[in-house]
Amino acid sequence: MTIIREQEYLRVYQKITRMISMVLDHQQVMDTIVNSLPGLLNVDAATIRLLDAETGKFVMGAANGLSEEYLSRYSIDTEETMEMILSGYPVSKTDVKLESSPEDREIIQSEGVNSILTLPILFQDSIIGILRLLTKDKRIFTADEISFSMALAEQVGIAISNGRMFLEMENQVDFMKEVQQLSTLVNSSLDLSEVLDTIVERLPDSLGCKGCTIRLLQANSNQLELVASHGLSERYLQRGRVENEMNVAAALSGSPVAIYDVGHDDRIMYKTAMEEEGIQSVLSVPIKAGSDVIGVIRILSDVPRCFSSSEINFAVTAAEVGGGAIRNARTYQQISLLFNQIEENERFLANILDCIRPQLLVVDTKKHLVLVNKVLQGEMGCTENELLGRGYHDLFQDQECDEKDCPINKVFATGQPASFTHTNERDDGVHWCERTASPMLGTDGEIEFVIEVIRDITAKKQLEEARLEQMKLQGVVELAGTVAHEINSPLFAALGTAQLLEEDLDEEDIIADVGTIVRNLKEIGKLTGKMTQMTGYESREYVGDTTIVEIR
Amino acid sequence: MAEILALDDVQDATILIGKILKKKGHTVHSFTEEDDAIAHAKANKVDLAILDIKLKKMSGIEVLSLLKEVQPAMKAIMLTGYPTVETAREAISLGADEYCVKPIDRDELEEKVEKVLKSRGNKNAMSV
């Protein structure tokens, strides 16, 4: 190598080093290099591709001097070349047309590329990308040029890595702040919808992406249900079930998945729907609550995006924060539901107690009222608040029920249900009350409360008395009928015989006597007739304490 | 004149019926036992049966039913010391012509017997 050439290389090396040391953004580093190298190294075009560690493929980082069509071809170079590069060796091709694969030959020819020098970009002995220098003229890259380009590529590797590291650090700080804010936001609400909406709106914004979806696993079906989305069309969201999509399945098993090119990645099922929606890259992360995966967050980018590890970590952390908040909100939702059900049941039971006709009360072990139904409140002329807490015996002290007969006392003494019937004098007459008390046992088997039901059984008592009266009357009527029947046959014989005798007699005195007998027998006949038609009777005073009945 | 069967558990009552109706020229066969009365009806012609409802073993209604089987054209007067709607309804349904309440007056008995005997062949006369 001549001194002039060495000086030239040194000048280019210094210039490149100075340029790339002035910028920290690794994209700017790559752009600077591909824009500067053609002029400095006398080539027509330059490209930098970065290695996607997840897929093991090289993705475009920066390019200069080449058409979009050429750049978007599927393969970069022949398998042999790529193997050499991955092994850390440069590959120089003077006539690419002859040394390229048949399918790329046409595009290479139309682009007019003849010679390519492909160099691995190394950082700390690892390949992080490739640098390609392309010429339209046939050019044989000399050993010095290749060696110099290798040194340049190494500088590029350092610069890209530094830029990446700086960016990563910057991102990590930003992401930490973002996670902190997200955590504050989602933990400030127990409304599940609000929590979900906050996550789907904040996450794509923080990562500079198009949209985001949250799908949660349904406990009963174990299927994912779309519960929130942002920045995506309804048509895209309705494209179909996603459980079987490989990236979703991987996220459900707990691993995040970043996809650079959704159009050519087997882990994507709905490629057409994504293309129509303008989605280029996807990041799927599991939503964890504790150690359980409860769903999947998908962050979608409308530009090709190689998600960095800090971005993936951020998404995973944000999803975990979200998962905790979702679990809390769900728990709160369930508690609220349960609480509402309990309230509803309480209202229902209170309505039942208020609608039943008997008076009902519950006393605690100190015999203080702890529950009274509306009927009892009405009967006492007091409100619920006035009655609760009052002593049971104070409340009923004016009633004709001795403490020794009190069913509540009996229940506390024996532990068994007890009842007692007594009368009460009221303005409208005597009322019969039936009190039935039953124990309510606690978990320890001891009496915790006693329930007492007070029923006004006046109508029942009156009915019983009427029935007794009716039975008594029925007995009297039947007896009267039987007696009349037993009398009527001999009476018939006696009356008829007397009448025949009266006819056969001649003496006036005796005829008159027999006439008296006939008349009186007929009177007895009238009486037995009344007895057979009897429907009731009235007691009538006779002599002293004796009463007789008058037949009605 | 008619062949009359009188059945009552009180013997004096059957004797009385016999005395009253014999004076009117009828032949009266008096019984206090149901079986004897039924046996008589099976062997002899009976124009009219006067039956008490309360008997010793059966009711007058049951006896009426059996007598009607052997003497369908026979007339019947039911006597009772304890009239009820049920017994009256049953007696009528079995073909009784009169339903009289004891103690029946001699004149009333004679009148009812004549009325029932005259209505032989005219089945629409029934009074209680």
Side-chain angles (χ1 to χ4, degrees):
Chain A
M1 193 191 293
T2 62
I3 291 179
I4 295 168
R5 174 60 62 95
E6 277 184 1
Q7 283 177 341
E8 182 62 21
Y9 281 160
L10 187 60
R11 189 183 61 79
V12 171
Y13 191 83
Q14 280 176 332
K15 196 170 179 185
I16 288 291
T17 307
R18 196 178 303 123
M19 274 168 30
I20 59 180
S21 64
M22 285 169 72
V23 288
L24 286 170
D25 176 12
H26 75 283
Q27 186 60 53
Q28 269 183 308
V29 168
M30 289 190 290
D31 290 341
T32 305
I33 290 165
V34 295
N35 289 335
S36 309
L37 277 185
L40 292 170
L41 297 178
N42 197 24
V43 292
D44 296 306
T47 63
I48 292 176
R49 285 184 165 83
L50 296 178
L51 183 65
D52 180 354
E54 199 164 321
T55 58
K57 288 180 179 172
F58 288 100
V59 295
M60 185 57 70
N64 179 30
L66 293 164
S67 70
E68 279 292 322
E69 194 184 0
Y70 176 79
L71 291 173
S72 59
R73 73 195 187 284
Y74 187 66
S75 62
I76 300 169
D77 214 318
T78 58
E79 279 182 26
E80 294 80 18
T81 304
M82 296 313 289
E83 273 174 28
M84 287 290 285
I85 295 296
L86 287 169
S87 305
Y89 298 107
V91 177
S92 167
K93 289 184 180 176
T94 305
D95 193 347
V96 188
K97 286 196 291 283
L98 295 176
E99 297 174 73
S100 61
S101 57
E103 56 269 23
D104 289 336
R105 213 158 281 162
E106 194 181 331
I107 185 83
I108 291 169
Q109 199 163 7
S110 67
E111 191 71 14
V113 174
N114 270 309
S115 303
I116 300 174
L117 174 58
T118 308
L119 306 146
I121 300 173
L122 297 163
F123 180 70
Q124 293 178 345
D125 295 333
S126 296
I127 292 166
I128 61 165
I130 52 174
L131 170 65
R132 277 161 67 97
L133 303 171
L134 306 96
T135 62
K136 292 191 173 174
D137 298 331
K138 280 189 184 164
R139 178 161 167 182
I140 299 166
F141 291 98
T142 63
D144 288 346
E145 283 175 326
I146 293 170
S147 176
F148 173 65
S149 300
M150 278 291 281
L152 271 184
E154 205 163 327
Q155 272 302 97
V156 169
I158 293 165
I160 288 172
S161 295
N162 284 345
R164 273 179 166 177
M165 274 193 287
F166 182 77
L167 189 66
E168 285 280 306
M169 282 167 68
E170 214 174 37
N171 282 344
Q172 276 175 13
V173 171
D174 288 345
F175 289 152
M176 275 172 70
K177 283 182 190 166
E178 189 58 34
V179 166
Q180 208 172 13
Q181 283 178 7
L182 187 71
S183 173
T184 308
L185 278 173
V186 295
N187 286 313
S188 66
S189 173
L190 285 170
D191 181 337
L192 184 58
S193 307
E194 204 178 312
V195 168
L196 295 171
D197 287 345
T198 305
I199 297 168
V200 288
E201 281 167 24
R202 297 284 299 209
L203 267 187
D205 192 45
S206 304
L207 290 167
C209 288
K210 170 185 167 66
C212 180
T213 60
I214 295 180
R215 287 182 170 81
L216 295 179
L217 277 172
Q218 298 307 299
N220 47 357
S221 62
N222 218 26
Q223 287 194 323
L224 285 171
E225 188 193 354
L226 181 69
V227 290
S229 67
H230 176 71
L232 299 161
S233 72
E234 196 56 34
R235 188 177 167 193
Y236 170 73
L237 294 171
Q238 298 301 326
R239 68 196 184 282
R241 302 214 66 82
V242 298
E243 286 87 350
N244 294 330
E245 213 167 55
M246 280 162 70
N247 69 93
V248 175
L252 281 174
S253 65
S255 307
V257 176
I259 295 173
Y260 174 76
D261 181 5
V262 294
H264 294 96
D265 199 300
D266 293 339
R267 293 169 296 179
I268 294 292
M269 205 160 76
Y270 299 99
K271 290 188 174 70
T272 312
M274 284 199 154
E275 192 186 338
E276 284 170 4
E277 190 70 8
I279 296 163
Q280 303 280 344
S281 304
V282 169
L283 173 59
S284 301
V285 291
I287 304 172
K288 287 184 178 176
S291 57
D292 301 327
V293 176
I294 60 166
V296 175
I297 293 180
R298 303 226 300 172
I299 302 148
L300 306 122
S301 171
D302 53 1
V303 291
R305 180 78 175 266
C306 184
F307 290 99
S308 67
S309 60
S310 65
E311 286 171 329
I312 295 170
N313 283 340
F314 162 69
V316 168
T317 310
E320 274 179 21
V321 168
I326 289 168
R327 185 175 57 182
N328 290 346
R330 272 180 160 179
T331 308
Y332 178 74
Q333 209 174 38
Q334 284 169 346
I335 290 170
S336 298
L337 194 71
L338 209 61
F339 189 71
N340 286 341
Q341 281 174 347
I342 290 168
E343 269 193 337
E344 188 58 39
N345 283 343
E346 264 189 19
R347 265 198 297 276
F348 180 62
L349 286 175
N351 275 339
I352 291 174
L353 295 180
D354 287 339
C355 289
I356 58 172
R357 288 182 64 190
Q359 300 167 52
L360 186 139
L361 60 89
V362 179
V363 295
D364 59 15
T365 48
K366 290 178 180 169
K367 296 176 193 170
H368 287 153
L369 296 175
V370 294
L371 188 144
V372 288
N373 72 347
K374 276 220 162 56
V375 183
L376 182 73
Q377 292 166 37
E379 196 68 28
M380 292 292 162
C382 298
T383 65
E384 188 179 23
N385 286 340
E386 286 168 345
L387 289 170
L388 295 183
R390 281 180 65 179
Y392 173 81
H393 293 298
D394 300 340
L395 195 69
F396 295 110
Q397 60 187 349
D398 59 329
Q399 301 211 358
E400 294 166 21
C401 177
D402 289 341
E403 280 203 28
K404 66 177 172 57
D405 297 321
C406 172
I408 294 262
N409 290 350
K410 283 186 183 170
V411 170
F412 277 119
T414 64
Q416 296 298 316
S419 65
F420 177 67
T421 305
H422 66 96
T423 54
N424 275 336
E425 278 291 345
R426 291 203 195 158
D427 297 341
D428 59 344
V430 176
H431 277 248
W432 285 87
C433 271
E434 183 189 71
R435 292 166 175 256
T436 307
S438 310
M440 263 176 78
L441 303 180
T443 47
D444 56 357
E446 294 295 314
I447 296 174
E448 259 186 347
F449 301 100
V450 176
I451 310 163
E452 185 179 273
V453 176
I454 306 167
R455 292 193 305 142
D456 187 330
I457 56 166
T458 309
K460 188 182 159 192
K461 281 276 177 192
Q462 285 171 345
L463 196 68
E464 277 175 10
E465 279 174 12
R467 197 176 293 135
L468 268 175
E469 275 298 311
Q470 181 64 33
M471 280 169 69
K472 214 157 85 182
L473 175 67
Q474 183 67 22
V476 171
V477 168
E478 281 173 9
L479 179 66
T482 307
V483 170
H485 181 252
E486 291 303 320
I487 291 171
N488 277 341
S489 285
L491 181 62
F492 168 53
L495 177 62
T497 307
Q499 282 176 327
L500 282 176
L501 182 64
E502 191 181 20
E503 199 180 81
D504 295 340
L505 290 173
D506 299 324
E507 288 180 43
E508 288 296 320
D509 292 352
I510 299 173
I511 289 170
D513 290 345
V514 173
T516 304
I517 293 169
V518 168
R519 193 171 63 253
N520 281 285
L521 288 174
K522 281 184 177 177
E523 281 303 313
I524 295 172
K526 282 181 192 168
L527 183 64
T528 58
K530 273 173 86 176
M531 285 165 74
T532 58
Q533 289 163 18
M534 177 182 175
T535 56
Y537 62 91
E538 263 175 28
S539 292
R540 221 173 63 183
E541 283 183 14
Y542 187 56
V543 177
D545 293 336
T546 311
T547 55
I548 57 171
V549 295
E550 183 159 328
I551 294 169
R552 283 200 301 250
Chain B
M1 291 300 103
E3 287 289 323
I4 296 175
L5 181 151
L7 175 63
D8 199 310
D9 59 335
V10 178
Q11 194 171 22
D12 289 348
T14 60
I15 293 167
L16 174 67
I17 292 168
K19 279 183 181 175
I20 293 170
L21 297 180
K22 275 175 187 167
K23 284 197 172 192
K24 287 288 173 185
H26 301 298
T27 307
V28 180
H29 306 276
S30 297
F31 300 95
T32 56
E33 303 293 330
E34 300 91 325
D35 295 338
D36 297 342
I38 293 163
H40 173 81
K42 280 182 181 172
N44 303 284
K45 180 175 176 288
V46 177
D47 296 312
L48 171 67
I50 299 172
L51 306 171
D52 186 20
I53 286 182
K54 182 181 164 294
L55 298 169
K56 290 179 180 172
K57 289 185 284 190
M58 293 188 250
S59 76
I61 303 287
E62 286 171 308
V63 174
L64 173 66
S65 169
L66 291 170
L67 294 182
K68 279 282 184 183
E69 279 179 21
V70 292
Q71 304 250 0
M74 180 194 78
K75 294 284 167 180
I77 293 174
M78 304 306 290
L79 294 180
T80 181
Y82 190 20
T84 64
V85 176
E86 285 76 27
T87 54
R89 188 179 293 142
E90 208 171 344
I92 292 161
S93 70
L94 287 170
D97 299 275
E98 284 288 346
Y99 185 86
C100 302
V101 180
K102 287 180 186 175
I104 187 168
D105 192 74
R106 177 193 166 188
D107 297 337
E108 193 187 345
L109 179 64
E110 287 172 353
E111 186 189 317
K112 296 236 170 175
V113 167
E114 289 309 309
K115 183 182 158 196
V116 169
L117 288 174
K118 273 184 191 168
S119 72
R120 273 185 287 189
N122 175 16
K123 289 190 174 179
N124 57 2
M126 166 75 195
S127 62
V128 177

